[in-house]
Amino acid sequence: MSGSSYFVDEIMGVVAARNPGETEFHQAVREVAESVDVVVQKNSQLAKLKVLERMIEPERQVIFRVPWVDDKGDVQINRGFRVEFNSAIGPYKGGLRFHPSVYLGIIKFLGFEQVFKNALTTTPIGGGKGGSDFDPKGKSDLEVMRFCQSFMSELFRHIGEDTDVPAGDIGVGGREIGYMFGQYKKLTNKFTGVLTGKGIGWGGSLVRTEATGYGLVYYMTRVLQDLKMDWKGKKVVVSGSGNVAIYATEKVHQLGGKVVALSDSSGYIVDEGGIKLDTVKRIKEVERGRIKEYADEHKSAKYTEGCSGIWSIPCDVALPSATQNEIDGKSAQILVKNGCKAVGEGANMPSTPEAVDVFQDAGVILGPAKAANAGGVATSALEMCQNSMRLDWPFEEVDARLKQIMNAVYDQSRAAADEYGLKGNLVAGANIAGFQKVAHAMIAQGIV
Ligand code: NDP
Ligand code: 2IT
């Protein structure tokens, strides 16, 4: 794709001038602008009503101080964010990320992408994102609790079950959601579906824990079908070893594939016989340890320091599920050279623009994050639905709905790509389909 169109240049000029230094946000906007250029050229109303120009400006952004006291009695100060990006099709919805790299540019790229992703899910949710530069790694449960309580002591006034419904992302799982929910309930005296990813038995939905990883594999099953392939006997490399990576691995194994590698920010493990997921779940979910410990327990496995080397392992399918820009152009070239046929983005924006070009030029099918990892937020929407009804659906029902949604995400993206003569370009297809749905709602609701 070329960024040379007048429309794209104009959008990018505005984004760069108004959001200086926020490079991840610029990257996310450029990709969407390049994809929807053809749509805007065809429909003069979109240009006249400045629909994309409005979409790139968040409806509301909140930045706040998060003071807390560590176990030594020292005062710590972090920064909290919530960016409420777009509410055209429903309440703001999107996760909270706790990671030392968090700054406004990360939250804005995530919030912007969430708008289109959520539109693709077929459920009525707008887009938002939040988080903090707090690092949960190495903190005690009590420190995490005190941080979460302080974070919610400000966030609570901006959210609500019909306004903005946060959830998890990197560094935010069931433990953190529990502490934040407890504080929200105490401050408001209300038990509502204000957060998703809650525990089972107190408002959480079955399948939400598994949903992003399972959904990614359901989506990639459709990609493989188009390539006249299935998972049986396929070698799969998954990066990360958190929530998304673990449940993507579980579903690949259930469908007959073999995941041979996982990673964390320190390094990666290779186990050619197939990753033993019970060990990973214990190390990561129970002990909160490092992936290196897997190789100490399983002599069949080898650990290597540094995470980018994971892409040099030959595989049929790659599922990057750690973080943004984890596959650069060079890593993409190695994957292609080693015969990788398809890439499914479990993480948000894991492929750099150079990597995307390499995959597309080589005919490797790329399932973009907005579509491929939409199963997590889609199941959050199902949790909201169950909370509103004050009912809990069985596992099989939520899983069947998730599968149905992932099929719909895929069908809409493929149809949009076909309509604009971009057959097989699921990146453009997802961007166009998501954009059209949000644009339609924004136009109907006037200039607000
Ligand atoms: P977790 O916190 O559970 O796990 C994150 C994993 O990625 C860990 O293995 C972590 O390693 C690794 N990682 C994080 N940051 C970096 C980094 N800068 N460099 C290398 N590795 C890193 O998060 P999730 O599994 O929930 O999220 C993973 C990705 O999936 C993110 O991009 C997230 O936005 C996306 N996503 C998550 C959804 C969800 O429902 N949870 C839904 C849709 C997308 P370490 O422990 O060393 O930090
Ligand atoms: O990136 C994502 O879609 C998520 N982190 C999940 C958000 C949610 O609201 O479930």
Side-chain angles (χ1 to χ4, degrees):
M1 290 237 168
S2 127
S4 61
S5 107
Y6 176 71
F7 174 70
V8 174
D9 287 348
E10 211 177 41
I11 291 281
M12 291 316 300
V14 171
V15 168
R18 289 171 69 80
N19 309 274
E22 297 176 4
T23 51
E24 296 85 0
F25 180 48
H26 303 173
Q27 182 182 335
V29 173
R30 176 177 287 281
E31 187 198 280
V32 170
E34 288 179 351
S35 292
V36 305
D37 193 7
V38 282
V39 185
V40 177
Q41 302 314 328
K42 244 177 108 171
N43 180 345
S44 61
Q45 214 191 6
L46 292 168
K48 185 165 180 294
L49 295 175
K50 299 204 171 162
V51 175
L52 186 62
E53 292 86 335
R54 279 190 278 151
M55 283 183 190
I56 61 178
E57 186 68 22
E59 289 178 17
R60 187 177 299 110
Q61 309 183 53
V62 191
I63 303 181
F64 50 98
R65 180 172 68 201
V66 190
W68 56 282
V69 181
D70 69 18
D71 287 346
K72 288 195 242 123
D74 291 336
V75 175
Q76 302 287 338
I77 298 125
N78 286 100
R79 187 170 287 177
F81 301 89
R82 187 71 184 168
V83 175
E84 297 177 335
F85 231 106
N86 194 300
S87 61
I89 64 170
Y92 310 107
K93 181 81 196 87
L96 297 169
R97 177 176 292 193
F98 293 170
H99 193 271
S101 63
V102 163
Y103 77 108
L104 190 56
I106 295 271
I107 301 300
K108 272 159 73 175
F109 114 67
L110 290 164
F112 182 72
E113 295 217 324
Q114 198 82 50
V115 174
F116 305 94
K117 180 196 304 190
N118 293 3
L120 285 170
T121 65
T122 71
T123 63
I125 46 177
K129 201 86 187 189
S132 174
D133 57 0
F134 173 73
D135 186 359
K137 242 182 252 140
K139 304 288 191 299
S140 70
D141 284 353
L142 282 176
E143 287 178 319
V144 170
M145 183 180 79
R146 288 194 292 272
F147 171 81
C148 288
Q149 290 174 341
S150 180
F151 184 83
M152 189 50 84
S153 296
E154 172 59 33
L155 187 66
F156 87 100
R157 64 185 96 253
H158 308 288
I159 62 178
E161 75 274 28
D162 294 319
T163 309
D164 183 357
V165 184
D169 193 80
I170 290 177
V172 178
R175 176 182 58 172
E176 291 74 17
I177 294 292
Y179 293 149
M180 288 190 277
F181 184 76
Q183 185 72 355
Y184 182 86
K185 188 160 57 72
K186 178 159 184 161
L187 290 166
T188 60
N189 196 25
K190 276 189 196 155
F191 195 114
T192 68
V194 67
L195 294 167
T196 59
K198 299 183 292 300
I200 304 306
W202 48 277
S205 174
L206 289 164
V207 193
R208 177 61 189 90
T209 301
E210 296 86 351
T212 311
Y214 279 20
L216 169 64
V217 177
Y218 294 152
Y219 178 94
M220 291 306 290
T221 300
R222 295 293 305 277
V223 169
L224 293 186
Q225 276 167 6
D226 277 0
L227 293 168
K228 311 264 179 293
M229 288 166 65
D230 62 26
W231 291 100
K232 294 210 179 63
K234 296 300 172 308
K235 219 169 129 172
V236 182
V237 167
V238 181
S239 66
S241 48
N243 173 265
V244 180
I246 287 175
Y247 292 97
T249 301
E250 183 164 285
K251 187 51 78 177
V252 168
H253 286 176
Q254 284 173 9
L255 297 177
K258 186 165 69 172
V259 173
V260 296
L262 287 176
S263 63
D264 59 24
S265 59
S266 308
Y268 64 94
I269 50 159
V270 182
D271 191 341
E272 288 291 347
I275 296 287
K276 282 115 194 134
L277 201 57
D278 287 347
T279 307
V280 178
K281 282 187 181 177
R282 176 172 45 73
I283 293 172
K284 286 294 182 178
E285 294 183 335
V286 182
E287 299 164 1
R288 298 184 186 274
R290 307 302 297 160
I291 203 66
K292 182 178 192 291
E293 294 161 35
Y294 180 99
D296 301 336
E297 290 187 37
H298 296 287
K299 295 302 159 213
S300 53
K302 184 171 176 287
Y303 174 75
T304 309
E305 281 287 330
C307 32
S308 67
I310 194 170
W311 307 121
S312 65
I313 302 160
C315 61
D316 300 297
V317 181
L319 302 177
S321 302
T323 196
Q324 64 277 351
N325 291 327
E326 55 169 312
I327 303 185
D328 61 11
K330 203 167 136 231
S331 295
Q333 276 165 357
I334 299 171
L335 279 166
V336 170
K337 185 168 76 59
N338 286 339
C340 177
K341 308 281 185 310
V343 177
E345 296 186 330
N348 285 308
M349 206 166 76
S351 311
T352 65
E354 295 73 31
V356 174
D357 287 345
V358 169
F359 292 138
Q360 288 181 337
D361 291 349
V364 170
I365 305 294
L366 177 62
K370 283 185 199 82
N373 74 32
V377 75
T379 307
S380 279
L382 300 178
E383 183 172 326
M384 290 165 69
C385 183
Q386 292 167 80
N387 291 166
S388 298
M389 295 191 295
R390 300 197 191 281
L391 280 176
D392 294 327
W393 294 334
F395 190 96
E396 294 69 28
E397 178 165 357
V398 184
D399 191 38
R401 285 179 187 269
L402 168 62
K403 214 174 277 177
Q404 201 176 21
I405 288 172
M406 296 316 294
N407 278 320
V409 169
Y410 184 79
D411 290 336
Q412 292 171 82
S413 309
R414 198 174 63 173
D418 287 355
E419 186 189 339
Y420 285 92
L422 298 161
K423 204 172 168 52
N425 187 341
L426 296 171
V427 176
N431 287 332
I432 292 170
F435 172 77
Q436 283 178 318
K437 182 166 179 192
V438 179
H440 183 73
M442 284 176 70
I443 291 169
Q445 292 170 31
I447 314 285
V448 288

